[in-house]
Amino acid sequence: TQQTPFTLVLFGATGDLARRRLLPSLFALFRDGRLPAQWQLVGVGRSERTSEEWESGLVEALREEKPDLEGWQDDWAAFAGHLAYFQGDASAAGDMQQLATLVQHERCLYYLSTRADLYGSVTRALASAGLVGPRASIVMEKPIGLDLESARAIDDVVSEHFAESQIYRIDHYLGKETVQNLLVLRFANSIFESQWNHRYIDHIQITIAESGSVAGRAAFYDEVGALRDMVQNHLLQLLCMTAMEPPHALTADAVRDEKVKVLKSLRPLDNNVIPEKIVRGQYQRAGDEPGYLADIGAEDSDTETFAALKVEVDNWRWAGVPFYLRTGKRLAERACEIAVHFRPVPHSIFTQQHRAAMANRLVFRLQPDEGIHLSLSEKQPGAGMNIKMSELSLNPETLAGKRVPDAYERLLGDVLADNQTLFVRRDELMAAWEWIDPIIQHWRHSGVRPEPYQAGSWGPSAATLLLARDGRLWDELA
Ligand code: BG6
C-alpha cells in the first residue's frame, strides 16, 4: 500500500528529467498527502556536490517549470527533509555497497534515468551490493536500447535480477490524463466502440509536435534521434491505446495483452517500402533560428529530428485504415493530438463538394490544452441549408475545476501502489523494437539522409506528400 515506508534511489539525479519532471511530480504527490509518513529519496549522480547544492538546483528547476505554483515554499522544507544526494558511480559495486548503508527501508524503488547502456551494469552493481530484495522495484526510462539487439541485451540483464512484476518500464505518455480518458471514452460509452473500426473510420492521425529544440541534451539526442526518442515508445503506445481490442478488465495484464496484439499486427516493413512510408527530417536554420547542427555544435550529423510514418494494422478491425504518425522538434507549435477521422456519409443530400470536409472527426488533445473534441455538422440558422462544422467538447480541466496532474505524478503513484497497468511489459517492448528495427537497419545501411525542414515549420515537404499520395492532408494543429 502507499502507507508502506519506501526508499527511492534516483540514478541520474542531476539530469534534466530528474530536475524538471520527477522531483516536481514527487513534490506534488507529497503536497497532496499521497506519500507515507516515512520515505526517503537518495539522488545518485557522478558529479560532486552536497545535498544542499543538489537541492538548490531542484528549487531552481521547480521555479522554472512551475512558475505559477502557489504556496510551495511552505511545504518545501518538509519535503526536502526526505532528500539526500549521493555521489557515486552507479555501476561500481563498491559505490553501491556504500549506498546500501544509506537505505532505510525494505521497500526500495530504483529509478534509472541515466543512459540506457548503463542499466545492465547498474542492475548488476545493485544486486552484488545486496540491494535487490523481494520488496525492490526498478523503473526504467525509455528508450531502452538503440535497436532490437541492444534492447534485448539490456532487458536480459535487468530480468536476471528482477522479476517482471518488479520491473516498471515507463512511458510517460501513458500517464497523460487524456490517454486515460481515451480508455474511458472508448470503453465506457457504447456509441463510440460500435463505430470504432474500418467500416466507419477512414484513417487516424497521431501527432506529437514540439516547438522546442534539443538544446541541453545534444549528446543524448544525437545518438538517439526522433525514431527512438518518440516513435518506438510514445507514438506506438498511443497507437496501441487507440487501436487495441477492449481488454476484459482494467488489469495490467489484460490491457498489456491487447497492446501486444496490436504491435504484432503492425504490417512489417521491408527495405522496399520504408522509403515510401517513412519520412525522416532534420531542422535547418530559418532566419535567426539556429538549425540542428548549430544547436548540437556539430559539423555534420544524420540524426533525424522529425519522423512521419504511415502504419498499417493488419487485423480485422483496422483493415485498410492507415494510421499516420508524426513527431518532430522545432515545429511550428507544441501540440499533441490523436485525431480519428470518420468516413464521410455514403451519399450526401447536401452539397456534394463538402462531403469529405464535413466528415466527423474525434480529437483527443493531449497537450497543451487537454480535451476531447467531436466535430459535427450542423445547420446555420436562417434561410437556405447552410452547414457548418461545430464541436462538442469535453475538457477535464474545466469540467472538474481541478488541476490536471503531470503524467509522472500519476505514474510514480502507480509504482508506489504496485500497479503496472500503465507500464510496458517485456513482450510489448520487444514487439515494438521488432517493428522499428528494420527502419533503423535500413537507414544505417542505405545511408539515407534526413530531409531538411525549416525550424519553425511543420516538417519536410515529404511528410505532406506522404498523405497527399493517399488523397489526404495532415490536420492543422494550433
Ligand atoms: C521525452 C523525450 O520522452 O518526451 C523528449 O525524450 C521529449 O525528447 C519529451 O521532449 C516530450 O514529453 P512531453 O510530456 O513534454 O510531451
Side-chain angles (χ1 to χ4, degrees), residues 17 21 141-143 171-173 176 208-210 213-214 217 220-221 224 229-230 233-234 329 334 336 367 406-408:
L17 181 75
R21 306 298 277 273
E141 268 297 335
K142 43 75 30 190
D171 184 311
H172 78 281
Y173 266 67
K176 291 191 187 272
I208 309 178
E210 297 187 277
S213 70
V214 299
R217 297 161 80 219
F220 161 81
Y221 194 88
V224 172
D229 190 40
M230 304 296 285
N233 30 75
H234 304 325
K329 300 278 184 198
R334 172 174 183 260
C336 173
Q367 53 203 29
D406 188 80
Y408 279 102

Side-chain angles (χ1 to χ4, degrees), residues 195-340:
Q195 314 282 307
W196 213 255
N197 58 55
H198 63 96
R199 278 187 290 275
Y200 302 102
I201 293 177
D202 179 73
H203 74 281
I204 293 178
Q205 301 188 10
I206 309 181
T207 300
I208 309 178
E210 297 187 277
S211 51
S213 70
V214 299
R217 297 161 80 219
F220 161 81
Y221 194 88
D222 198 48
E223 192 180 10
V224 172
L227 186 74
R228 299 178 180 101
D229 190 40
M230 304 296 285
V231 182
Q232 185 272 336
N233 30 75
H234 304 325
L235 277 171
L236 287 185
Q237 285 293 329
L238 295 182
L239 184 153
C240 284
M241 297 298 267
T242 311
M244 72 178 177
E245 295 299 311
H248 68 82
L250 193 60
T251 56
D253 280 334
V255 170
R256 298 185 299 175
D257 286 346
E258 297 308 334
K259 289 198 290 166
V260 172
K261 287 188 210 159
V262 174
L263 292 168
K264 293 201 168 155
S265 350
L266 301 184
R267 185 176 302 170
L269 297 166
D270 62 39
N271 290 339
N272 297 327
V273 300
I274 289 171
E276 191 181 299
K277 289 189 183 168
I278 319 241
V279 176
R280 174 176 207 231
Q282 187 185 83
Y283 64 86
Q284 312 287 315
R285 192 166 78 103
D288 293 340
E289 303 290 337
Y292 177 68
L293 296 180
D295 274 343
I296 63 166
E299 301 253 300
D300 191 22
S301 163
D302 63 3
T303 298
E304 77 286 353
T305 60
F306 176 96
L309 306 84
K310 175 177 176 182
V311 184
E312 277 126 322
V313 183
D314 281 338
N315 64 19
W316 193 288
R317 185 185 287 265
W318 297 115
V321 182
F323 285 69
Y324 300 103
L325 316 183
R326 64 177 164 163
T327 184
K329 300 278 184 198
R330 289 299 286 112
L331 296 181
E333 298 284 340
R334 172 174 183 260
C336 173
E337 282 186 5
I338 301 171
V340 179

